[in-house]
C-alpha cells in the first residue's frame, strides 16, 4: 500500500504492519501542513486510499454474508463436502445454472468444467491428458477441492496413492480425481444427496 517513492519517514511509520493495520491507522491520521509539500500530499493520498480500502472491506464482508445465505439456500449439501466452501460452491451453482441444458449428465458437466479426459494416445501408448477447455473458473474450483482433499482427506490420499501405484503420474491422478469430483458435485446439485462413495 505504501509506494516505494514515498518518503522514508512515511514508509518507516508503516513498516512491518499488515495492510489492515496500515489502513486503520492511515484512515485515522490527520496530515498537517501545506498540500504543496510532497510528504503531506502523500499522507493525504494514503488516508484517502485507506478509507476507500476499509469501506470496500466492509462491503466485501456484507457480500460474503449474502453469498453464504444464497449458497445455503440453493445447495447446502455442497457445503458438507470436504474442501468445498461458500466461494467454491457458488462457482458450481452459477456454472450449472448458466448451462442447465448442456449438463444433463455428469459426463457433460465434467466436459463443461474441463475435467473430462482427453485422449492423447500414441501408437501402443494409451494415455489421457488434462482438458484445457470448458469453464475455467469451475475447473479452478475443482482443482482447489482436489488439493484440499489431497491434503486433508484420508480417502482421497489413499485414492491418489493407489492411482500412482498403478503407474499414473501425479498430474494424471489429479485429472482422474477431478473427474470423480465433477461427477460427485453434479450429482449433489441435480439429484437427491447420497452418502459420498470412495473415489
Amino acid at each position: 500500500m505504501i509506494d516505494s517513492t514515498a518518503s522514508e519517514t512515511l514508509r518507516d511509520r508503516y513498516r512491518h504492519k499488515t495492510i489492515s493495520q496500515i489502513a486503520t491507522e492511515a484512515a485515522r491520521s490527520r496530515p498537517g501542513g501545506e498540500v504543496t509539500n510532497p510528504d503531506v500530499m502523500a499522507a493525504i493520498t494514503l488516508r484517502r486510499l485507506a478509507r476507500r480500502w476499509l469501506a470496500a472491506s466492509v462491503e466485501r464482508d456484507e457480500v460474503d454474508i449474502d453469498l453464504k445465505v444464497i449458497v445455503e439456500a440453493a445447495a447446502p449439501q455442497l457445503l458438507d463436502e470436504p474442501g468445498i466452501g461458500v466461494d467454491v460452491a457458488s462457482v458450481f451453482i452459477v456454472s450449472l445454472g448458466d448451462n442447465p441444458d448442456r449438463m444433463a449428465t455428469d459426463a457433460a458437466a465434467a466436459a463443461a468444467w474441463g475435467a473430462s479426459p482427453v485422449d492423447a494416445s500414441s501408437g501402443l501408448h494409451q494415455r489421457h491428458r488434462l482438458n484445457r477447455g470448458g469453464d475455467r473458473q469451475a475447473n479452478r474450483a475443482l482443482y482447489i477441492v482436489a488439493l484440499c482433499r489431497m491434503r486433508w482427506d484420508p480417502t482421497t490420499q489413499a485414492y491418489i496413492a493407489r492411482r500412482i501405484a498403478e503407474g499414473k503420474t501425479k498430474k494424471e491422478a489429479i485429472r482422474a480425481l477431478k473427474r470423480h469430483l465433477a461427477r460427485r458435485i453434479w450429482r449433489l446439485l441435480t439429484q437427491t444427496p447420497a452418502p459420498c462413495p470412495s473415489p
Side-chain angles (χ1 to χ4, degrees):
M1 184 178 256
I2 308 298
D3 191 274
S4 59
T5 59
S7 69
E8 194 64 32
T9 305
L10 189 61
R11 284 188 290 161
D12 282 342
R13 180 176 175 184
Y14 298 108
R15 200 182 306 274
H16 307 302
K17 293 186 179 179
T18 65
I19 290 179
S20 181
Q21 291 170 334
I22 293 170
T24 302
E25 190 175 326
R28 293 179 183 159
S29 68
R30 293 175 179 247
E34 296 293 326
V35 294
T36 53
N37 182 323
D39 289 344
V40 173
M41 196 62 222
I44 290 170
T45 302
L46 179 61
R47 181 180 62 184
R48 288 175 180 156
L49 290 172
R51 288 176 176 174
R52 200 175 303 163
W53 188 89
L54 290 171
S57 296
V58 170
E59 287 183 24
R60 181 203 62 215
D61 292 343
E62 291 172 351
V63 168
D64 286 346
I65 291 167
D66 293 342
L67 185 60
K68 187 172 188 289
V69 170
I70 292 167
V71 169
E72 286 176 344
Q77 64 276 18
L78 277 186
L79 298 178
D80 294 334
E81 289 291 299
I84 299 182
V86 171
D87 291 338
V88 167
S90 66
V91 171
F92 294 121
I93 292 168
V94 169
S95 183
L96 184 65
D98 284 346
N99 305 286
D101 297 333
R102 288 181 49 214
M103 296 192 200
T105 65
D106 65 276
W113 294 339
S116 58
V118 176
D119 188 30
S121 302
S122 174
L124 298 176
H125 186 68
Q126 299 292 317
R127 61 178 291 270
H128 293 86
R129 68 168 176 79
L130 291 169
N131 186 338
R132 307 288 181 197
D135 183 336
R136 301 320 296 162
Q137 287 186 334
N139 187 272
R140 180 178 178 274
L142 280 174
Y143 186 65
I144 290 170
V145 177
L147 290 183
C148 289
R149 291 176 78 136
M150 286 168 59
R151 182 161 186 176
W152 303 110
D153 183 43
T155 304
T156 304
Q157 291 167 352
Y159 173 78
I160 292 293
R162 187 172 74 244
R163 296 309 295 256
I164 291 174
E166 291 170 357
K168 303 286 186 191
T169 65
K170 188 173 182 181
K171 280 187 177 181
E172 290 171 335
I174 291 173
R175 181 205 54 77
L177 175 61
K178 285 169 65 177
R179 175 63 183 92
H180 165 76
L181 290 171
R183 180 184 304 114
R184 173 74 181 153
I185 291 165
W186 178 84
R187 286 179 179 165
L188 285 170
L189 285 171
T190 60
Q191 299 174 1
T192 303
C196 184
S198 298

